[in-house]
């Protein structure tokens, strides 16, 4: 009892102390806020002038400030003030007129009343375009907050929105703007995927090793192509499955592309279904017992000209054929199916008791246990709760084939983000449960006008086995070039200790020998000494900072831009990338609006440039056709696609046999018609014709 009562007393005392500490913290915070408010009020009549050059140490700052107001700020009447003095660190500023450097320090001036201060501050508009500045004075804490708000203020003002920055509070269109939490931004920027988007390019991953994460395959589920179009991108290979061979109006179709270095490991699969484009990834690349079968899918939407009610059924039939070769399947694309949060697997509650009792092992009927082992939730989340007819068919398709949807339950998309601009989920990534352990990342990316006018890009990353010998054509490691690590000042002592003393002594002895006999000094001897000194220093640096061997896959390659990609396109691209960086850094709706506008402008600029280029090219070729035919054919042949003449003799034979099949049938019909006409000749001719063989037969028999 004594121990229990003592513990209770200690606990009560601890609670009282905690409460007292919390009260002290609250009081301290209130005191700090009051102190900051008083400090701000004490600076209410102050202005800070920047950019005024330092004349000498004995300058009259107040007189200098009066001349500045009269000459530079164009103020007619002199404003009286209490006092003015310089403060802060001295800095160098470049004059915008003659580009000369001069030293300056800020000047703080205290006016007699607030109205005089405001009159001077409003007159500062005359300093626009100069290297001078006039600002309000605030405590350091307020200035730090204003620095955070300033980029949002500038961006909102550039969008011609009603914006006002009052002390440390920003108001946009009458509502106070609260900047995002900086800690959240820091976490966002450390995320590998966010870094990739922030740089505007995909991160370069190692091309050798056993478990590299690669991004070598891309797909475009819905295209606007026909067989006359040719997709060409350096170091990439593309395959298309178009709805129509030749069409004036481009609509529908499927396409996917991958790096050319993976041509031996990714193979397209021919099929008759127009709603799916199959291809397989070599099992060596994905480290699976069998090849990975992938399907790029596009199902036309409901209530349109191309609506196909049996689309999912046709895909299911082909999937069963694919299962004969491999049990590892991944499907992705635009299904135009809205599934809400319906379960995509059979649960034991879905069956009656008789079926469950006769079932030996429920896991043999469903692979949902694999998701449990991987820690993937069974229930999907989705911000789109609507379910349509295609959605119910897709759920039945998943249940019948043990296919599980990644959207709303996996990695970066556990909340079920919309995949289109209208807040609907119609694009999916799904697959058999036995490939989920190979998925490294899955994300519904931000909408971009550069990719689609409706759909959002979907990012899927698989853990692949990309060895050096797999990518020989894309990897050329420079074994002879070694790059020593960067200099680190904290390792300077180690650098000195790693210098080979014996080599230094030998070099000094050699120099002394040459010094005694100047006649032996020539260019070769000097070069030898310099080489030895360099070798000694490099050897020490190599031991201290390490060596890095770089390969050419990480080097910057210069790609020739398209001829239509002119100066305006480059400027639009630069603005787009800048907007992307700002949005990733600040993460605000203000910069999101800027990003969307720059995307639209970039796309419009490219479209206009392509249209103008085609118009000029058409006009140019019309002029060259009659005047300069040689130049005409040079331009014409430049756009010709290479012809593949590697045709098997059997294919050659079958092609012409099929082509002449109708001709042979018509020839046989004509022969039959001629025979019928001859058979319908006169009876006399027929009798003679028949009697002659009889005579010959009798003659032969008598003889």
């Amino acid at each position: 009892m004594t121990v229990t009562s003592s513990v209770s007393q200690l606990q009560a005392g601890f609670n009282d102390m905690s409460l007292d500490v919390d009260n002290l913290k609250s009081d301290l915070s209130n005191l700090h806020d009051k102190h900051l408010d008083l400090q701000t009020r004490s600076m209410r009549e102050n202005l800070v002038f920047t950019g005024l050059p330092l004349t000498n140490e004995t300058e009259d700052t107040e007189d200098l400030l009066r001349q500045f107001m009269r000459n530079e700020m164009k103020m007619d009447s002199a404003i009286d003030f209490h006092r003015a003095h310089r403060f802060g660190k001295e800095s160098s500023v470049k004059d915008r007129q003659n580009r000369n450097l001069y030293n300056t320090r800020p000047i703080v001036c205290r006016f007699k009343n607030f109205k005089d201060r405001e009159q001077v501050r409003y007159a500062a508009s005359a300093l626009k375009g100069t290297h001078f500045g006039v600002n309000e004075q605030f405590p350091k804490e307020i200035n730090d907050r204003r620095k955070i708000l300033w980029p949002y203020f500038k961006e909102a003002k550039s969008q011609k929105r009603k914006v006002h920055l009052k002390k440390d509070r920003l108001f946009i269109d009458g509502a106070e703007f609260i900047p995002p939490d900086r800690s959240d931004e820091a976490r966002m920027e450390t995320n590998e995927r966010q870094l990739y988007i922030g740089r505007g390019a995909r991160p370069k991953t190692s091309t050798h090793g056993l478990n590299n994460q690669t991004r070598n395959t891309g797909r475009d589920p819905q295209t606007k192509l026909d067989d006359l179009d040719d997709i060409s991108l350096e170091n990439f290979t593309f395959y298309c499955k178009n709805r129509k061979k030749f069409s004036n109006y481009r609509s529908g179709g499927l396409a996917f592309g991958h790096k050319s270095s993976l041509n031996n490991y990714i193979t397209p699969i021919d099929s008759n279904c127009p709603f799916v484009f199959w291809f397989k990834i070599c099992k060596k690349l994905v480290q699976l017992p069998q090849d990975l079968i992938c399907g790029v899918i596009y199902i036309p939407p409901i209530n349109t000209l191309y609506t196909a009610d049996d689309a999912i059924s046709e895909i299911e039939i082909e999937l069963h054929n694919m299962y004969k070769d491999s049990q590892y399947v991944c499907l992705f694309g635009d299904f135009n199916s809205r599934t809400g949060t319906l379960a995509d697997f059979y649960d034991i509650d879905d069956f009656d008791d008789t079926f469950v009792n006769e079932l030996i092992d429920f896991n043999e009927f469903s692979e949902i246990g694999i998701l449990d082992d991987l820690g993937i939730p069974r229930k999907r989340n989705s911000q789109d709760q609507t379910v349509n007819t295609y959605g119910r068919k897709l759920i039945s398709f998943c249940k019948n084939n043990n296919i599980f949807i990644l959207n709303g339950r996996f990695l970066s998309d556990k909340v079920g983000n919309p995949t289109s601009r209208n807040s609907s989920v119609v694009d999916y990534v799904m697959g058999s449960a036995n490939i989920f352990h190979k998925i490294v990342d899955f994300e519904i990316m931000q909408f971009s006008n550069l990719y689609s006018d409706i759909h959002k890009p979907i990012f899927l990353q698989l853990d692949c086995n990309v060895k050096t010998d797999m990518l020989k054509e894309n990897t050329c490691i420079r074994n002879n070039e070694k790059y020593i690590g960067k200099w680190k000042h904290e390792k300077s002592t180690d650098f000195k200790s790693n210098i080979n003393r014996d080599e230094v002594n030998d070099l000094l002895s050699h120099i002394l020998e040459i010094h005694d006999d100047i006649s032996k000094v020539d260019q070769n001897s000097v070069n030898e000494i310099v080489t030895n000194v360099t070798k000694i220093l490099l050897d020490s640096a190599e031991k201290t900072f390490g060596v890095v061997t770089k390969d050419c896959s990480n080097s910057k390659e210069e790609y020739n831009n398209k001829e239509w990609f002119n100066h305006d396109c480059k400027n639009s691209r630069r603005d787009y990338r800048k907007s992307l960086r700002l949005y990733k850094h600040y993460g605000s709706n203000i910069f999101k609006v800027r990003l969307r506008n720059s995307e639209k402008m970039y796309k419009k600029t490219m479209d206009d440039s392509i249209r103008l280029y085609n118009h000029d090219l058409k006009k140019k070729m019309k002029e060259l056709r009659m005047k300069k035919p040689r130049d005409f054919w040079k331009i014409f042949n430049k756009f010709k696609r290479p012809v593949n003449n590697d045709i098997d003799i059997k294919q050659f034979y079958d092609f012409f046999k099929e082509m002449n099949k109708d001709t042979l049938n018509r020839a046989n019909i004509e022969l039959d018609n001629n025979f019928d006409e001859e058979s319908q000749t006169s009876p006399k001719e027929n009798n003679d014709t028949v009697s002659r063989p009889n005579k010959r037969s009798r003659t032969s028999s008598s003889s």
Side-chain angles (χ1 to χ4, degrees), residues 336-510:
N336 275 306
S337 306
R338 305 178 71 175
T339 60
T341 56
L342 295 178
D344 54 354
F345 60 93
Y346 283 118
D347 198 358
I348 194 169
D349 297 332
D350 298 336
F351 305 98
D352 54 19
D353 296 337
T354 305
F355 184 83
V356 173
N357 293 331
E358 294 178 356
L359 194 64
I360 299 174
D361 187 2
F362 185 75
N363 291 328
E364 294 181 0
F365 195 78
S366 175
E367 296 180 352
I368 190 63
I370 298 179
L371 273 66
D372 298 335
D373 296 338
L374 295 174
I376 301 173
R378 293 190 175 195
K379 184 178 179 181
R380 292 186 301 115
N381 298 316
S382 179
Q383 298 182 19
D384 179 18
Q385 299 296 325
T386 305
V387 179
N388 62 4
T389 304
Y390 279 2
R392 296 185 182 90
K393 290 183 178 180
L394 182 61
I395 291 298
S396 299
F397 167 83
C398 293
K399 289 182 176 180
N400 296 334
N401 298 280
N402 269 330
I403 297 294
F404 297 91
I405 299 174
L406 271 67
N407 300 58
R409 60 155 57 111
F410 208 81
L411 296 175
S412 301
D413 189 43
K414 291 185 177 180
V415 296
N417 291 314
T419 61
S420 63
R421 294 186 64 180
N422 55 5
S423 301
S424 61
V425 179
V426 293
D427 304 287
Y428 297 91
V429 176
M430 58 185 68
S432 53
N434 50 19
I435 68 167
F436 279 21
H437 69 284
K438 304 297 295 183
I439 299 176
V440 178
D441 196 5
F442 171 70
E443 179 185 359
I444 307 297
M445 299 170 60
Q446 292 290 333
F447 173 78
S448 174
N449 287 288
L450 297 177
Y451 291 106
S452 173
D453 53 352
I454 295 178
H455 300 273
K456 295 181 180 180
I458 297 180
F459 173 73
L460 177 67
Q461 181 181 355
L462 300 177
D463 185 10
C464 297
N465 174 30
V466 184
K467 296 182 179 179
T468 306
D469 55 350
M470 287 185 175
L471 305 176
K472 288 182 179 179
E473 58 188 284
N474 200 35
T475 306
C476 47
I477 298 179
R478 302 167 183 169
N479 296 321
N480 297 328
E481 296 186 13
K482 294 182 179 180
Y483 298 85
I484 299 175
K486 293 183 178 180
W487 171 269
K488 296 181 180 179
H489 185 69
E490 58 270 16
K491 292 187 176 182
S492 57
T493 305
D494 297 336
F495 175 76
K496 294 177 182 178
S497 61
N498 287 329
I499 294 177
N500 194 324
R501 304 294 178 183
D502 296 334
E503 293 182 358
V504 173
N505 294 332
D506 294 341
L507 181 61
L508 288 175
S509 301
H510 180 61

Side-chain angles (χ1 to χ4, degrees), residues 114 117-118 121-122 136 138 146 149-150 152-158 160-178 590:
F114 182 74
R117 193 208 78 162
E118 287 297 284
R121 191 169 70 90
Y122 289 143
E136 300 175 83
F138 294 103
R146 288 172 64 90
L149 295 172
W150 185 247
Y152 303 99
F153 173 83
K154 288 179 61 179
E155 184 58 33
K157 200 166 186 178
S158 66
K160 298 182 179 180
R161 301 172 68 177
K162 187 177 180 181
V163 58
H164 177 59
L165 182 60
K166 184 178 181 181
K167 202 167 65 172
D168 59 344
R169 301 175 67 186
L170 177 62
F171 296 88
I172 300 176
D173 296 333
E176 184 176 1
F177 173 78
I178 306 298
I590 298 176

Side-chain angles (χ1 to χ4, degrees), residues 186-337:
R187 287 193 296 270
M188 178 184 68
E189 291 181 1
T190 54
N191 183 274
E192 179 184 0
R193 182 63 187 161
Q194 296 296 340
L195 284 175
Y196 141 53
I197 301 176
R199 286 194 297 264
R202 291 182 176 179
K204 297 176 180 178
T205 56
S206 174
T207 56
H208 50 278
L210 293 179
N211 291 305
N212 291 324
Q213 300 169 359
T214 60
R215 301 181 178 95
N216 294 321
T217 306
R219 57 93 182 169
D220 184 7
Q222 183 182 4
T223 64
K224 304 293 183 183
L225 303 172
D226 59 24
D227 289 354
L228 292 178
D229 292 302
D230 181 28
I231 305 177
S232 61
L233 183 63
E234 193 167 358
N235 296 329
F236 275 84
T237 303
F238 287 91
Y239 303 93
C240 299
K241 189 174 186 178
N242 302 318
R243 177 180 291 165
K244 296 182 179 180
K245 292 186 176 181
F246 312 109
S247 174
N248 293 328
Y249 178 76
R250 313 291 170 80
S251 177
L254 300 163
F256 81 93
H258 60 79
K259 286 188 176 180
S260 301
S261 56
L262 299 176
N263 284 340
N264 296 330
Y265 304 95
I266 298 179
T267 307
I269 302 174
D270 293 332
S271 66
N272 297 323
C273 181
F275 308 109
V276 58
F277 194 175
W278 299 100
F279 65 93
K280 64 180 179 180
I281 303 177
C282 179
K283 59 184 180 182
K284 294 181 180 179
L285 195 65
V286 290
Q287 292 181 303
L288 292 173
Q290 297 174 329
D291 294 339
L292 176 61
I293 304 296
C294 298
V296 183
I297 292 176
Y298 171 65
I299 299 177
I302 303 175
N303 300 326
T304 63
L305 181 64
Y306 301 103
T307 300
D309 295 332
D310 298 332
I312 296 180
S313 300
E314 293 185 28
I315 295 172
E316 187 172 9
I317 293 172
E318 293 212 340
L319 178 62
H320 290 165
N321 295 330
M322 298 297 165
Y323 271 143
K324 297 177 182 177
D325 299 327
S326 176
Q327 298 296 317
Y328 299 87
V329 175
C330 182
L331 306 175
F332 36 76
D334 181 8
F335 291 79
N336 275 306
S337 306

